Amino acid sequence: MAAEVVVRAKVSGTDLFAEYLRSILGQLAITAALPAPAFDGLISELRPVRRPDGRANRLWRLVMPRVPEALDRLRTCGLSLVVVSNSDGTVESSLEAAGLRPYLTAVVDSALVGYDKPDPRIFTSALERVGAAPERTLHVGDLYHADVVGARSAGIHAILLDPYGDWSDVDCPTAPDLFSLADSFTCKD
């Protein structure tokens, strides 16, 4: 399935998360067909519900099973691990509180760099922080339009995490969880 991207004009003064919602909801036929005032009204109503200001860190309090093991395995393979997150400036402190920050080489928070996924510049920022080449980089994410489309637009390979088999009609590899993905890597000695 080829991704069709519908881009709506950015409104001056809007925040990054509102732009992210515009990008994602602009992909859905039902919301993309809305007249501009109705679409803008939907964004205005949905934004504070989905991400209350300064409280994104409350979304990431629980660590999924075997994630620390998976990150440790990937680090042991010599990989640089970077979190690229659409957040509100709190993702790094959330990762620290969850005990995951020590596994990571860098953290890229959209609120701090000024770009939300799927904008390729957030991925380029991550590449620059660790000195990685896009063609030798793999992005693992759980939202097709933000993660896969965004990574590809920066020349990065992508895998979609799909624990419940929700993404059966995608044009990219999927994995049920991070541990199974890490387990599929063969480390060089």
Side-chain angles (χ1 to χ4, degrees):
M1 170 176 98
E4 180 181 326
V5 178
V6 176
V7 179
R8 294 205 185 238
K10 289 187 178 183
V11 177
S12 177
T14 58
D15 64 49
L16 290 174
F17 189 67
E19 294 307 317
Y20 168 73
L21 288 174
R22 285 179 187 290
S23 175
I24 296 301
L25 295 178
Q27 307 286 330
L28 302 173
I30 193 164
T31 50
L34 291 171
F39 185 82
D40 293 341
L42 176 65
I43 299 300
S44 295
E45 287 183 37
L46 192 55
R47 191 259 180 243
V49 173
R50 293 300 302 147
R51 184 178 293 163
D53 288 333
R55 295 186 7 210
N57 62 349
R58 292 184 180 178
L59 299 173
W60 313 114
R61 288 188 175 177
L62 299 175
V63 177
M64 294 180 73
R66 303 187 82 184
V67 166
E69 260 182 281
L71 295 175
D72 187 51
R73 179 182 181 95
L74 294 168
R75 285 292 299 224
T76 301
C77 286
L79 300 174
S80 295
L81 305 179
V82 179
V83 166
V84 177
S85 180
N86 287 350
S87 192
D88 64 356
T90 62
V91 73
E92 189 157 17
S93 63
S94 296
L95 291 164
E96 287 171 5
L100 299 177
R101 183 59 180 96
Y103 299 103
L104 307 171
T105 306
V107 176
V108 178
D109 186 316
S110 63
L112 302 178
V113 298
Y115 315 109
D116 262 354
K117 295 183 287 183
D119 190 317
R121 294 174 292 184
I122 193 169
F123 295 97
T124 302
S125 177
L127 292 170
E128 290 170 354
R129 288 183 188 206
V130 295
E135 65 275 5
R136 295 186 44 84
T137 300
L138 175 65
H139 178 74
V140 180
D142 62 351
L143 291 173
Y144 181 83
H145 294 290
D147 293 305
V148 175
V149 172
R152 285 178 174 169
S153 69
I156 297 171
H157 304 282
I159 290 182
L160 188 64
L161 288 182
D162 188 12
Y164 304 107
D166 295 326
W167 297 95
S168 61
D169 193 24
V170 292
D171 60 350
C172 65
T174 62
D177 56 57
L178 193 58
F179 186 81
S180 65
L181 177 64
D183 198 41
S184 72
F185 277 74
T186 303
C187 301
K188 293 181 182 180
D189 291 328

